[in-house]
Amino acid sequence: MTAGPWHRRHPVAVDVAIAVAFALLDTGLTLLRATWWPTHPGPLAWAMLGVQALACLSLAARRHAPLTVMAVLGGFTLAVSLLISPVGALTPAHPGNVWAPLATALAAYGPPFYGRKRWSRLTALAALAVFTAIVARVWEPSVTVITIGVLRTALGPLLTLYFEARRRLVLALTERAERAERERHLLAEQARAEERARLAGEMHDVVTHRVSLMVLQAGALRITAPDEATRQAAEELRAAGCQALDELRDLVGILRTAPEGDPTPSVAGFPALVAESTAVGTPAELIEEGDRALASPVVGRTAYRIVREALTNVRKHAPGARVTVRVGYGAAHLRLTVRNTPPAAGPHRALADTGSGLGLASLRQRVELVGGTLRAGSEPDGGFGVEATLPSYVPTAETVR
């Protein structure tokens, strides 16, 4: 760790050095008759000179007791003023001088700077006003003395206020910059989290769909292959596909948004989905009623995902079942139904175990985002049905360009 500046590490030593310096300086100036020193000093003058030195040494406590230091120097200045007039015990060589020692300037600087509480600040201002009146000897009107006295006691507090305001401004600007940096970092983290969720959702919707098709095709090839080598290769391919689906399970998340520029096909992709399902041994029929153009892009993509997920679930959990996909396009709503007959055999355990359990939850969230409803459940005949009602039009940037 790098040590700070010496004067910050040893504040007491610095204050003592300053106090000694002012005591020597004021003693020297007084002996040179720049303040209250008389032409013919007597015992009283020498005694007051010693008291002045002690008063200047009180600056060593300016950080911890600033008001006390001001009271000590103010009391000494008032005592000298009274001894000169009206008592007449001292007769200055130059009556027009300011009789207060220079240490009063530093003493005036202390209370406004070191008084941190509201009550101490108010007390400091009141004490400073009295201190200024004593140094300027307002009861003996003199333009020179009053001007020098006011400048001597006001300059320190004014500098204090300036540096304090500057310090607070720098702290405020620094805090604002740090807050902006933190907000920028949080926004970046949020964007990354949303992107991770989007990618995970796409992985569930796209990769799982495609890999499940590959596994089923490999299983079919294993049964129909004319030779053992081909059947063995098909089995290895099927096992690798099942393992890939299992490893992907931990990476799947809930899809949160439907970002602009989504590459997912729309309602025009329904025939291809149905054809793929039929090709891998799950017969499917598509029935469409109405005009596809009534479905806005985001609604079409949502409907496509519902059909894709439903067909994927049938292949995994209801082998041998037949599927009917019915889509009705209306001016106000798009109604979608995917129903399958009871399965002809038990579910493919290798495929069924690869699911994350988030497919329908992700779809329900998508449907709710566009203001629709989704229902999924068993049918009375033993089959399974997925029904969705979506608004036909959901305004997005795509629809207004």
Side-chain angles (χ1 to χ4, degrees):
M1 179 183 296
T2 303
W6 184 87
H7 66 278
R8 292 186 181 277
R9 290 184 286 118
H10 304 281
V12 176
V14 172
D15 289 343
V16 171
I18 290 175
V20 172
F22 269 97
L24 295 175
L25 177 62
D26 279 317
T27 299
L29 290 176
T30 301
L31 292 175
L32 292 175
R33 300 177 182 176
T35 56
W36 54 270
W37 195 246
T39 304
H40 303 288
L44 179 60
W46 289 105
M48 293 303 296
L49 185 63
V51 173
Q52 176 180 278
L54 293 176
C56 292
L57 289 176
S58 68
L59 288 174
R62 65 190 181 94
R63 297 177 191 267
H64 304 289
L67 287 176
T68 301
V69 173
M70 180 183 286
V72 170
L73 286 167
F76 169 79
T77 303
L78 180 61
V80 169
S81 301
L82 293 176
L83 288 174
I84 294 173
S85 176
V87 176
L90 294 174
T91 304
H94 303 286
N97 290 345
V98 175
W99 298 336
L102 283 178
T104 54
L106 193 59
Y109 171 87
F113 187 79
Y114 296 111
R116 298 301 182 187
K117 297 180 181 179
R118 181 174 179 83
W119 65 266
S120 62
R121 286 293 180 89
L122 294 176
T123 303
L125 291 177
L128 184 61
V130 175
F131 189 62
T132 301
I134 294 173
V135 173
R137 299 204 314 269
V138 293
W139 59 87
E140 295 180 2
S142 170
V143 175
T144 302
V145 174
I146 291 178
T147 301
I148 295 175
V150 170
L151 289 176
R152 181 180 294 183
T153 55
L155 182 60
L158 288 177
L159 288 175
T160 299
L161 293 176
Y162 167 75
F163 286 116
E164 181 70 8
R166 182 176 179 275
R167 184 183 67 85
R168 291 183 178 179
L169 177 61
V170 171
L171 288 177
L173 293 176
T174 302
E175 181 181 357
R176 183 179 302 176
E178 292 176 350
R179 184 168 61 250
E181 181 67 17
R182 287 194 299 270
E183 291 175 354
R184 186 191 66 80
H185 178 72
L186 290 176
L187 289 175
E189 287 293 330
Q190 180 180 359
R192 283 193 289 269
E194 291 177 354
E195 182 64 11
R196 286 194 297 270
R198 188 188 71 81
L199 291 175
E202 287 302 320
M203 186 180 299
H204 180 276
D205 291 346
V206 178
V207 179
T208 303
H209 174 75
R210 297 296 179 186
V211 175
S212 66
L213 289 176
M214 179 191 71
V215 171
L216 288 175
Q217 288 171 345
L221 179 61
R222 182 189 60 177
I223 297 173
T224 60
D227 58 273
E228 181 62 28
T230 304
R231 287 194 294 271
Q232 182 64 30
E235 173 59 23
E236 291 176 358
L237 179 60
R238 187 195 67 82
C242 291
Q243 183 180 0
L245 288 173
D246 188 59
E247 291 173 351
L248 286 173
R249 180 169 50 191
D250 292 338
L251 302 177
V252 175
I254 297 176
L255 184 61
R256 299 181 182 273
T257 58
E260 189 176 340
D262 193 337
T264 302
S266 187
V267 293
F270 287 161
L273 281 177
V274 171
E276 284 180 349
S277 180
T278 301
V280 297
T282 304
E285 179 185 8
L286 175 63
I287 302 174
E288 292 182 286
E289 300 173 351
D291 186 1
R292 291 177 178 173
L294 294 174
S296 62
V298 66
V299 173
R301 290 195 295 269
T302 303
Y304 180 91
R305 286 187 171 93
I306 294 172
V307 174
R308 184 173 61 188
E309 178 67 21
L311 291 175
T312 300
N313 287 338
V314 172
R315 287 193 294 272
K316 291 194 296 184
H317 302 287
R322 300 184 63 86
V323 185
T324 300
V325 180
R326 186 181 298 274
V327 187
Y329 304 99
H333 296 93
L334 182 152
R335 290 181 171 84
L336 172 65
T337 303
V338 182
R339 287 192 173 92
N340 63 271
T341 61
H348 290 292
R349 182 171 299 277
L351 286 177
D353 291 343
T354 60
S356 66
L358 299 176
L360 289 176
S362 175
L363 289 178
R364 184 168 283 106
Q365 187 177 42
R366 281 184 178 277
V367 171
E368 291 174 353
L369 285 173
V370 298
T373 59
L374 178 70
R375 186 193 71 83
S378 300
E379 297 291 326
D381 62 355
F384 194 86
V386 177
E387 297 180 3
T389 301
L390 308 172
S392 295
Y393 177 77
V394 174
T396 62
E398 296 174 79
T399 59
V400 299
R401 277 201 294 264

